């Protein structure tokens, strides 16, 4: 499957994966539901965000058409649903209700996106390290104020 799809990795600052951004099973179940209860605008990533990420990649003087942004919006929204669905299945098999960053990385490996999964695992590890450092600093600040 991965040989048919080619993705360019965006800079780490563009990724929105974090360990504290976990999804409940109910949220995952609602992703991609096509029974008419979810509006298209709720199913897709905001086009302004997609355009902003695309703009970071192209040369400063390049223009991006509305059609290109909408196409990318559809593709990335579908990709996120695809990966999340696989992660959700893993959680169901393990009788867990919360999808976390490690589940997303595992799903990407299962789906054949090993290179991206490795990068995301490193990003997730570094993110957790920084969050731990921040928590320790906040704790130290609170202790000195007392």
């Amino acid at each position: 499957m991965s040989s048919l799809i080619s993705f360019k990795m965006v800079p780490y600052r563009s990724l929105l994966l974090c360990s504290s951004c976990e999804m409940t099973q109910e949220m995952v179940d609602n992703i991609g539901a096509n029974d008419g209860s979810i509006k298209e605008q709720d199913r897709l990533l905001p086009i302004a965000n997609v355009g902003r990420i695309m703009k970071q990649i192209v040369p400063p003087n390049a223009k991006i058409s509305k059609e290109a942004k909408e196409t990318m919006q559809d593709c990335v929204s579908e990709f996120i649903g695809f990966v999340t669905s696989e992660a959700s299945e893993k959680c169901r098999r393990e009788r867990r209700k919360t999808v976390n960053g490690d589940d997303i990385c595992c799903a990407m490996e299962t789906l054949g996106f090993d290179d991206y999964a490795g990068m995301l695992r490193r990003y997730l590890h570094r993110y957790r390290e920084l969050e731990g450092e921040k928590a320790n600093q906040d704790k130290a600040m609170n202790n000195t104020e007392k």
Side-chain angles (χ1 to χ4, degrees), residues 85-100:
S85 176
E86 182 67 30
S88 175
E89 285 302 313
K90 177 182 185 297
C91 290
R92 279 194 189 126
R93 285 190 304 271
E94 296 174 2
R95 291 185 163 85
R96 293 187 294 117
K97 293 189 177 206
T98 304
V99 174
N100 61 38

Side-chain angles (χ1 to χ4, degrees), residues 18-83:
C18 66
S19 60
S20 63
C21 301
E22 296 178 336
M23 301 177 71
T24 65
Q25 192 64 49
E26 181 180 352
M27 292 166 69
V28 171
D29 289 341
N30 288 331
I31 292 175
N34 208 6
D35 61 353
S37 64
I38 296 179
K39 298 180 219 165
E40 184 167 313
Q41 66 195 34
D42 294 336
R43 185 183 65 80
L44 300 173
L45 288 174
I47 197 152
N49 294 2
V50 172
R52 201 172 303 116
I53 293 169
M54 291 174 75
K55 193 72 175 159
Q56 292 174 1
I57 305 302
V58 298
N61 59 343
K63 304 273 190 232
I64 302 171
S65 72
K66 181 179 178 185
E67 179 186 31
K69 290 176 190 175
E70 289 172 349
T71 301
M72 185 59 73
Q73 180 188 37
D74 284 338
C75 290
V76 298
S77 297
E78 185 67 27
F79 180 74
I80 289 169
F82 182 56
V83 173

Side-chain angles (χ1 to χ4, degrees), residues 122-135:
R122 288 190 295 278
Y123 175 84
L124 183 59
H125 178 74
R126 183 67 182 138
Y127 174 85
R128 288 174 175 164
E129 284 178 346
L130 292 173
E131 284 297 302
E133 290 171 11
K134 181 181 172 195

